Amino acid sequence: MSDAKSRMIARAARDIAPGMTVNLGIGLPTQVVNHLPGDFPVCLHTENGLTGIGPTLPHDRADRNLIDAGGAYVSTIPGSAFFDSATSFALVRSGRLDLTMLGAFEVAENGDLANWKIPGKFSPGAGGGMELAQKARRVAVLTTHTDRAGNPKLLTRCTLPLTAAGCVDRIFTDMAVIDVTPAGFALRELAQGVTIEDVKQATGAPLHIPSGAIPTF
Amino acid sequence: MSDAKSRMIARAARDIAPGMTVNLGIGLPTQVVNHLPGDFPVCLHTENGLTGIGPTLPHDRADRNLIDAGGAYVSTIPGSAFFDSATSFALVRSGRLDLTMLGAFEVAENGDLANWKIPGKFSPGAGGGMELAQKARRVAVLTTHTDRAGNPKLLTRCTLPLTAAGCVDRIFTDMAVIDVTPAGFALRELAQGVTIEDVKQATGAPLHIPSGAIPTF
Amino acid sequence: MRLPDKTGAIEGAIAAIPDGATIMLGGFGVPGTPFLMIQELVRQNKRDLTIIKNDANETGMGVDHLLVAGCVRRLITTHLGLNANAIRMMNEGTIEVEFCAQGMLAERIRAGGAGLKGFVTDIGIDTEMGRGKQRVEIGGEVAMIETALRADVALLHAAQADTFGNLRFAATARNFSPLMAMAADTVIVEAEEIVTLGTIAPEDVHTPGPFVDHVVHVPNLSEEYAVVRR
Amino acid sequence: MRLPDKTGAIEGAIAAIPDGATIMLGGFGVPGTPFLMIQELVRQNKRDLTIIKNDANETGMGVDHLLVAGCVRRLITTHLGLNANAIRMMNEGTIEVEFCAQGMLAERIRAGGAGLKGFVTDIGIDTEMGRGKQRVEIGGEVAMIETALRADVALLHAAQADTFGNLRFAATARNFSPLMAMAADTVIVEAEEIVTLGTIAPEDVHTPGPFVDHVVHVPNLSEEYAVVRR
């Protein structure tokens, strides 16, 4: 993984407050957990029916019945609980999920998120992402700032089918930390070695630049 | 208890088939269990969250946390299960309750049941009776044939607020066993010493008398 | 990672409940009723409460203390048959009472706890309980919408809690408690026993800790927990 | 009273399932998938099935055997991302696929299991998943009706069953199984261990026995149960 991606993940981890219940989506978000201190007070949730996710395990030490929603072999910690899928999404929809971190194909300046379908190319189903995006108290996105072809993923409007409308609060990228505000995207922090101009160029929507110094991560 | 009432209860018990899941309502129906053989294969359900009800216990041997829906101290048997109230009524509404036996203020010839409210006199709330009456696969009523003043409880139409419409399949009284059929009440069995005329007189709706001998209980 | 500690004192947890709050109380009859927290509500003289509970206990116990002390404005319940006092106050208009069929109350609470707006059912459709409810057609059949219930606070009694709030209930004391644990903004649990994390096996948890905000220890139960007067 | 015995052989239990049946299958990925009963469905060459399952497993395992053998007409699911074969058959039109958001699938099954007609939610209301769904207004807000799902048969894998059908599931193998156990006319469970009545404490039952019709013993699990190919 690039240094910038790794710093993005470390920066995202700092947004997890003590005592939160958090769902880390498949892919980059899952790795956020590696940047939390070992004794950090947090409860990780996975939608296939577990709160209190412990470290991932190698296949030879795994419990065949104990996976996370991404299919990785995980473990329990003291105080973990198993439950059925209805209870698991009850937790999500009833407001008990303080924060979710998700991947994205596109994020719009009004907070719309598209991360589940590319018509004609990729349509495997939405899984549990819609409810996480629509109902977690706070939704953060972790994504590279542009796609592999260099096209911006932060847009004025999403072009792909939505996962949920107006749901994203904050975006962590390899270039910046950006908040979704009533006035659109607002730059909060810059990655090391990245300029405001770099971010503006790589963003497909107006970017509000606050006055004063922009912190670096 | 009168001999006739006791025979009514014993007769009702004979309608419980092996393997059934059964809910016996508060009052007379609860006593039906006393007429089942000790090793009879049946699962008794109570709506406060137990399947596999065991014998009632005296206060000094009771578990303070283990009651039936009528508040009696009951016990478990091997294979009992506890669950929450939503699961308990899921069992009732989804068709897993083969039979319920309930008390009645009034039963109409179309199967309407009134057993929860007497406007101006008795309105404590419906408890779990509505769902038992509406959703058990088979609903039997246990009741004295007439009220204390001698008025019929089996009527052409109910005068009291309904518990559920068209729900009753069979009525066990101290005088007769009567089925609710598309053609109205049909006499099936007579209590010892009771004549067809007696039953007709005590019934507030037409009573269909099948041809042939009427069995006695 | 480690799971946060939610243990605290009963007075403080109850003190945060404002007058006018909607409060769910676990329990079906005696089992599961949080008698000590109810007593604390009375002691702190909360007013204008909406109480959601299966029943109003019996005269002289549990919910009845709240009624007698004038704490209750409204009661959403299934059955008051064992509390003549509650029926009298309802008939006199001292309290408002909304009756639900028992499984409907359970399901409305669960719907609130599951983040749903309501559910569609035919229970009570031919009775006065069905009056005034919005009708919809599904698959050619007419049914009714029952709306979800949520509360500001749920007060629950558990046999066992760990410090994170994973709960176990005893026997038929479970009843409405796991549903209410999902359906309130703040969930306060009184537990007969508080155990260390890991004591309750993950497969054996009845209510997962994330639904619970505060756990208070009640090692000395009052007489109400074991007394049945009938 | 004693509780009835529901144990039997896998062949007979599966033989009673007709072609054209709607079948719910427990499992999220590998954990909870009833691989041996799926193999038996294939062996008995059931046709025209509607399958309801969270996912289609992976190519070469579980649901994929049913797809390859041409047993499936329709699939109601949340995610096919690990089964390229299923996606190909969907795109070619060999199978019909209905996608649900995962929590919506769980809740639709639970609603069927709870004897409800459906529920009211705003999940997906701004997305293409919300298209064509009946709208209703509750408390001034527009929401959608999701309809309940039921099946003719549910096939579930349990860690432990007693002879009456009280079930325990291992770890995250629980997932959809307790919901499906409530939502099918016939529920068949394969259990790794069958124990005598009373071995599972009443407080520790995950699915109560009355929801279960047949229990079959699977002491020797096939390789699929432990193999993850990713």
Side-chain angles (χ1 to χ4, degrees), chain B:
Chain B
M1 190 183 305
S2 75
D3 197 45
K5 254 194 199 173
S6 155
R7 279 202 312 279
M8 161 180 83
I9 295 167
R11 172 60 191 85
R14 299 211 316 268
D15 264 27
I16 297 179
M20 275 185 169
T21 299
V22 178
N23 184 301
L24 299 173
I26 299 170
L28 288 178
T30 305
Q31 302 178 39
V32 169
V33 68
N34 304 326
H35 295 268
L36 292 174
D39 66 341
F40 193 82
V42 65
C43 177
L44 297 181
H45 165 262
T46 180
E47 53 268 41
N48 57 326
L50 166 62
T51 45
I53 308 178
T56 54
L57 295 178
H59 284 211
D60 59 337
R61 285 176 47 219
D63 174 346
R64 67 184 157 87
N65 288 308
L66 181 39
I67 62 172
D68 66 15
Y73 286 124
V74 293
S75 56
T76 57
I77 58 175
S80 294
F82 296 119
F83 36 81
D84 64 46
S85 297
T87 304
S88 192
F89 281 93
L91 186 152
V92 174
R93 289 190 306 263
S94 68
R96 284 291 178 180
L97 197 59
D98 298 299
L99 171 67
T100 190
M101 293 191 172
L102 300 171
F105 299 151
E106 296 176 344
V107 184
E109 61 180 353
N110 64 354
D112 288 358
L113 172 65
N115 75 354
W116 72 286
K117 187 173 182 176
I118 303 173
K121 280 195 196 162
F122 178 79
S123 54
M130 286 197 163
E131 282 146 303
L132 293 171
Q134 193 174 335
K135 292 296 181 182
R137 288 189 177 277
R138 188 171 169 80
V139 176
V141 160
L142 267 80
T143 179
T144 54
H145 208 94
T146 55
D147 68 16
R148 282 173 202 183
N151 300 310
K153 299 176 84 168
L154 281 61
L155 304 171
T156 308
R157 286 289 171 271
C158 288
T159 65
L160 296 170
L162 295 190
T163 306
C167 64
V168 177
D169 296 292
R170 173 164 279 196
I171 308 155
F172 299 98
T173 79
D174 47 351
M175 300 184 78
V177 177
I178 290 172
D179 279 350
V180 175
T181 74
F185 291 131
L187 182 67
R188 294 293 179 235
E189 299 179 29
L190 285 169
Q192 288 172 29
V194 174
T195 67
I196 291 177
E197 267 319 301
D198 293 341
V199 179
K200 274 189 169 172
Q201 282 239 306
T203 302
L207 184 67
H208 178 75
I209 313 294
S211 55
I214 307 288
T216 302
F217 67 90

Side-chain angles (χ1 to χ4, degrees), chain D residues 3 7 10 15 107 137 203 209:
Chain D
L3 296 168
T7 56
I10 193 167
E107 201 63 31
E137 202 177 302
E203 282 90 352

